[in-house]
Amino acid sequence: MTDVPYRFEPDATAAGLHAAHPDLPPGTETGETVTVAGRLMLRRVQGKLAFGTLQDGTGRIQLFAPAASTPDFDGFVARSLGDWIGVTGEVMTTRRGELSVRVDRWVLLAEAARPFPDKWHGLTDPDTRYRQRYVDFWVTDEAREAIARRSRIISLIRRWLEDRDFVEVETPVFHPIAGGATAKPFVTHHNALDVDLFLRIAPELYLKRLVVGGFERVFEVARVFRNEGLSPRHQPEFTMLELYQAYADYGDMMRLTEELVAHLATEVCGTTMLSYGGRDLDLSVPWRRASLVDLVEESTGLRLDVRMPVDELRALAVDHGVEVEQGWGPGKLILEIYEKTTEHQLWGPVFVTDYPLEVSPLSRDHRELPGMVERFEAIVAGRELCNAFSELVDPVEQRARFEDQAAKAAAGDEEAAAVIDEDYIRALEYGLPPTGGLGIGVDRLVMLLSDIATIRDVVAFPTLRPETFG
């Protein structure tokens, strides 16, 4: 391939040509000469006439190659499917009315040394699809569209928040202490400092430090890492939108969430009335608000309360199929009963509010319900979309919560924070105003707005078991 050029400069795209010439009659020659580039995805030869389909990043355009005028006609028809080529020629329509570029000049830009899948059959093996995404994106339109839609959604999120005076920030990926969420972290080592560091499981504590520092509205589109299992909804690295707003509480976060998601649905899908998995889903504002214990009662008839005897709650959990672990308190048992019996049945959208304090170490005490906190999760199509709090601002109470987490870690809880974040407590001692915080799973949001069932389809390169070569 030594004769392949170092650069090539197309001046037209497939989509642009179709937009510029929507209604040319059959057999029209426009006199317009363009240069296009892309992969040769289909080709058919009829004697001294060849047709090809060129696909670029915007779509497809037909190539019309008569032997009498196409340079190196035999070389052109010998090209393999998947080869990158550049073509210069007149824009025209064939006798059947197909918009085409006549091949007046062409050049090979890259050779597909491996057999390229047939465009009409694509990649049929799921494992191959996810391992060889560089091929899948060419032959599976839905795969490319999902990634393009993801990009647009993130862009719209940024614009919407910036219009509301939120400042985008970047916080550390390497954390000296794993905190901000309950999850098992990935551990790495910094040689120069000779210290272990953790890939962040959440950017929360650094973002709230920024609020202490005077940034009243901040957000981050953050890559986060959790050393946990794989499932249609879980990847060990994923993208979170986290934001914090001074002088706000979890009620403000509910309004922000429903308005943002409704805006995205309207912009991306054209409506808030969607279909997901074959069922209708109405994302229009306002969404339902209901407490966790009220929803459990609706689902099971049980009226749960954190003041109930722990033995009674443990028996109820076992009766409902929960595998109870030693050391779980009333709050953890209530959450497990909810997740086992109720969460997956909620089509929503619904804000599930008022969680037990025991399972919410960074949330502020509920102003009316003892033993509960001002926290919500938005459940849409049976899945958690986001988590939000009225943020805990009391450094003394935060220390007590951290100490409780450390005790749980010492007792064997791999998701609990084992080390107290003294610097974060020091930051709180300088004063954190009333603050509302929100975290939305971007991958799940893209799945929702694309009617896609598995997270691997909205991630360009999902995590897989390493492939063995040779």
Side-chain angles (χ1 to χ4, degrees):
M1 296 177 62
T2 56
D3 56 346
V4 170
Y6 279 82
R7 68 183 303 274
F8 189 80
E9 192 169 352
D11 57 21
T13 65
L17 291 173
H18 284 288
H21 304 283
D23 299 310
L24 283 181
T28 298
E29 295 182 351
T30 64
E32 176 187 356
T33 297
V34 297
T35 298
V36 292
R39 283 194 190 269
L40 185 64
M41 299 301 292
L42 293 171
R43 185 192 57 250
R44 67 184 189 278
V45 181
Q46 300 174 353
K48 294 296 183 179
L49 181 62
F51 297 90
T53 297
L54 185 81
Q55 182 170 333
D56 63 14
T58 70
R60 305 180 198 104
I61 189 74
Q62 179 169 273
L63 302 177
F64 177 75
S69 60
T70 300
D72 188 14
F73 177 79
D74 291 339
F76 179 82
V77 300
R79 297 285 11 124
S80 299
L81 296 185
D83 283 355
W84 293 80
I85 61 174
V87 171
T88 298
E90 184 177 0
V91 180
M92 52 164 290
T93 52
T94 63
R95 286 182 295 178
R96 294 187 176 183
E98 182 74 20
L99 185 66
S100 308
V101 175
R102 190 178 63 221
V103 184
D104 296 333
R105 296 194 304 274
W106 69 276
V107 61
L108 177 67
L109 300 176
E111 188 175 14
R114 291 176 178 264
F116 217 75
D118 185 291
K119 175 66 186 176
W120 301 112
H121 298 93
L123 292 176
T124 56
D125 176 57
D127 187 70
T128 302
R129 280 195 58 216
Y130 296 122
R131 290 192 186 280
Q132 299 182 25
R133 292 285 262 176
Y134 37 82
V135 179
D136 185 41
F137 289 140
W138 284 103
V139 298
T140 309
D141 290 341
E142 295 80 6
R144 291 181 65 159
E145 290 165 2
I147 300 304
R149 179 169 289 198
R150 177 192 181 100
S151 175
R152 183 161 185 244
I153 288 169
I154 292 173
S155 177
L156 288 166
I157 289 171
R158 285 191 164 103
R159 194 177 313 149
W160 193 87
L161 290 173
E162 288 165 354
D163 287 345
R164 285 153 183 80
D165 298 324
F166 281 85
V167 176
E168 182 172 11
V169 297
E170 293 179 313
T171 62
V173 172
F174 292 128
H175 287 189
I177 297 171
T182 53
K184 185 177 180 181
F186 287 94
V187 185
T188 188
H189 187 79
H190 190 285
N191 291 333
L193 295 177
D194 192 24
V195 294
D196 284 341
L197 296 170
F198 303 92
L199 295 183
R200 66 180 173 196
I201 56 177
E204 175 169 344
L205 301 186
Y206 283 96
L207 289 170
K208 286 192 284 192
R209 284 174 170 94
L210 285 168
V211 179
V212 171
F215 292 87
E216 296 178 356
R217 297 187 180 205
V218 293
F219 78 96
E220 183 171 9
V221 180
R223 202 72 168 171
V224 297
F225 309 86
R226 299 183 182 180
N227 198 356
E228 299 172 343
L230 299 170
S231 81
R233 291 180 292 161
H234 297 90
Q235 280 275 293
E237 57 173 313
F238 58 98
T239 303
M240 290 286 293
L241 165 67
E242 287 229 10
L243 63 87
Y244 293 85
Q245 179 178 338
Y247 319 123
D249 66 4
Y250 77 148
D252 297 295
M253 294 299 101
M254 290 183 216
R255 288 186 287 276
L256 186 152
T257 300
E258 63 191 359
E259 289 172 5
L260 171 59
V261 175
H263 168 75
L264 294 173
T266 302
E267 290 294 315
V268 174
C269 306
T271 178
T272 56
M273 301 295 295
L274 307 185
S275 175
Y276 188 81
R279 290 182 61 180
D280 291 338
L281 182 64
D282 181 3
L283 296 178
S284 61
V285 176
W287 297 0
R288 183 189 179 194
R289 281 101 162 125
S291 74
L292 184 149
V293 293
D294 285 345
L295 289 166
V296 171
E297 185 174 20
E298 289 179 13
S299 173
T300 67
L302 299 175
R303 186 64 189 178
L304 303 179
D305 193 299
V306 292
R307 295 167 291 188
M308 293 171 65
V310 68
D311 289 341
E312 182 180 347
L313 284 169
R314 187 176 290 116
L316 289 172
V318 171
D319 289 344
H320 287 84
V322 176
E323 295 182 9
V324 175
E325 295 185 13
Q326 191 66 29
W328 284 359
K332 177 65 171 175
L333 289 164
I334 288 173
L335 178 65
E336 291 291 329
I337 292 170
Y338 157 74
E339 290 181 348
K340 187 72 173 181
T341 65
T342 306
E343 183 180 69
H344 62 279
Q345 297 181 11
L346 300 174
W347 192 249
V350 57
F351 291 120
V352 182
T353 67
D354 307 336
Y355 278 64
L357 183 153
E358 180 186 348
V359 294
S360 310
L362 297 167
S363 305
R364 193 167 185 175
D365 290 5
H366 200 286
R367 65 194 83 179
E368 297 175 357
L369 303 174
M372 309 296 277
V373 296
E374 295 194 352
R375 170 186 171 189
F376 72 82
E377 290 185 0
I379 305 299
V380 186
R383 299 173 175 178
E384 176 196 343
L385 180 66
C386 72
N387 192 19
F389 316 142
S390 295
E391 299 295 332
L392 180 58
V393 299
D394 182 348
V396 176
E397 176 64 18
Q398 186 63 79
R399 178 180 291 281
R401 304 267 190 97
F402 280 162
E403 289 173 348
D404 179 64
Q405 286 285 299
K408 290 178 179 177
D413 186 343
E414 293 183 333
E415 293 188 347
V419 180
I420 296 172
D421 191 335
E422 294 286 354
D423 178 71
Y424 178 67
I425 293 174
R426 180 171 59 189
L428 292 184
E429 289 171 345
Y430 279 96
L432 176 66
T435 297
L438 168 68
I440 298 179
V442 171
D443 311 272
R444 293 183 184 180
L445 181 58
V446 176
M447 291 166 62
L448 180 71
L449 298 179
S450 306
D451 194 10
I452 289 175
T454 175
I455 193 172
R456 292 186 297 179
D457 284 335
V458 300
V459 176
F461 298 99
T463 301
L464 304 169
R465 188 180 299 278
E467 189 174 6
T468 301
F469 288 89

